[in-house]
Amino acid sequence: MSEFLSMGGYGNYVWSSFAIFAIVLTLDAVAPLLKRRRVLRELRGRIRRAQKRSEETA
């Protein structure tokens, strides 16, 4: 097992590459979800402000 993990002396490079790949892949999957949440929050605020303005003028 330790031979497999050491990968012939290149284990540090291989496993750190896998870790970086996993982190980037996770961030790539999470970023659109966070942006969507932020955009929806901004849109709800705009709708509320527009409704308040229309109530004030009516």
Side-chain angles (χ1 to χ4, degrees), residues 1-53:
M1 183 68 171
S2 82
E3 281 185 41
F4 173 74
L5 293 176
S6 70
M7 301 262 177
Y10 296 102
N12 289 338
Y13 170 75
V14 172
W15 295 115
S16 63
S17 297
F18 276 126
I20 291 170
F21 170 75
I23 291 168
V24 170
L25 190 64
T26 302
L27 290 174
D28 198 38
V30 171
L33 299 174
L34 295 175
K35 184 168 183 165
R36 178 181 182 269
R37 181 185 297 176
R38 186 186 49 144
V39 167
L40 288 174
R41 191 175 352 141
E42 288 176 6
L43 287 174
R44 284 187 200 111
R46 287 182 186 183
I47 290 170
R48 273 189 235 121
R49 286 191 298 274
Q51 287 173 345
K52 281 185 181 179
R53 270 188 253 132

